[in-house]
Amino acid sequence: MVPLAKYLPEFDWEPVVLTPYLLEKGALPFRVVETSYRDPLSFIKVLPGFDRQIDAGTQVKTRLGSAGKNPFVEFMLTRLGEVINYPDTHRGWRLFALKAARELLKSGGIDVIMSCHPPISHLVAHSMKTEFGLPWLADLPDLWSQNHNYRYSPTRRFFDRRLEIKTLSTADAITTVSEPWAEQLRELHTGKKI
């Protein structure tokens, strides 16, 4: 959302970006609200011998001696990851984001909700749209369940597709980066402005 938000002040919009962390630090022409975030794999890092500063998935692979060497272990870790990280790896942000979004919207001055990748941001926006009734634009610079780099199983894709349809059903408009992707979205989200 930050790359898009940079340009909104040029069109007299004053964006407020809600994020678990901001990769791009420095002077930005808009307000940023950073919230806490809980890593879905944080429970692994409290086990003896695990380093809290290193990615939990990498540590598990190293402990199992796989680290890309054992296809079965890689397959099983991917299947486990698609359950633990549902609907995406940022799921530990949702409760913090909902709380902060409610506070922002209750304080007033917000006219439109925009959400951008990852999917968890769309879930938060869907909740806020339902609760506050503001217009909502869902931006998909990468497709969700139709992503060409989708790495999960057909079962996970089924649940992602269902969640995507339900979540984006309340969006007032959906944007993406190309006409072919827009066409894919039109087929999945019939009747939506895309």
Side-chain angles (χ1 to χ4, degrees):
M1 182 56 76
V2 172
L4 177 60
K6 281 183 191 177
Y7 300 103
L8 293 176
E10 293 176 27
F11 300 95
D12 296 324
W13 285 91
E14 296 177 32
V16 177
V17 175
L18 178 63
T19 181
Y21 49 82
L22 194 60
L23 297 175
E24 224 177 283
K25 302 290 184 188
L28 295 170
F30 49 82
R31 181 175 164 206
V32 175
V33 176
E34 290 185 82
T35 68
S36 297
Y37 169 82
R38 186 183 51 81
D39 181 352
L41 296 176
S42 60
F43 68 93
I44 292 175
K45 294 181 179 184
V46 298
L47 297 174
F50 280 85
D51 186 336
R52 291 176 186 225
Q53 305 304 315
I54 300 174
D55 174 65
T58 302
Q59 292 183 76
V60 169
K61 287 179 184 181
T62 302
R63 287 221 169 176
L64 294 174
S66 74
K69 299 174 193 162
N70 187 327
F72 178 74
V73 171
E74 290 290 323
F75 174 81
M76 293 308 294
L77 288 173
T78 300
R79 299 295 75 82
L80 180 62
E82 69 184 31
V83 172
I84 291 173
N85 292 324
Y86 183 79
D88 68 41
T89 57
H90 296 88
R91 71 181 221 147
W93 180 56
R94 187 172 185 195
L95 294 177
F96 300 105
L98 286 170
K99 181 179 181 217
R102 274 189 191 97
E103 290 171 7
L104 282 169
L105 293 173
K106 283 179 182 176
S107 70
I110 305 289
D111 299 317
V112 176
I113 300 167
M114 291 179 68
S115 59
C116 192
H117 184 78
I120 203 72
S121 68
H122 301 306
L123 292 172
V124 171
H126 168 76
S127 294
M128 295 303 97
K129 166 71 175 182
T130 304
E131 193 171 328
F132 292 90
L134 291 172
W136 169 31
L137 169 70
D139 183 43
L140 283 87
D142 294 310
L143 297 181
W144 186 342
S145 65
Q146 301 170 307
N147 193 311
H148 63 282
N149 289 323
Y150 197 87
R151 61 187 174 123
Y152 296 126
S153 68
T155 303
R156 166 69 186 262
R157 186 185 291 263
F158 169 80
F159 285 106
D160 272 337
R161 184 181 174 98
R162 244 176 57 172
L163 182 62
E164 177 183 348
I165 291 168
K166 179 183 176 192
T167 301
L168 299 182
S169 69
T170 57
D172 294 286
I174 301 170
T175 57
T176 192
V177 297
S178 71
E179 184 53 38
W181 286 6
E183 191 53 43
Q184 283 183 262
L185 288 168
R186 284 185 198 102
E187 290 173 17
L188 185 61
H189 302 282
T190 55
K192 281 277 166 210
K193 290 181 185 176
I194 299 176

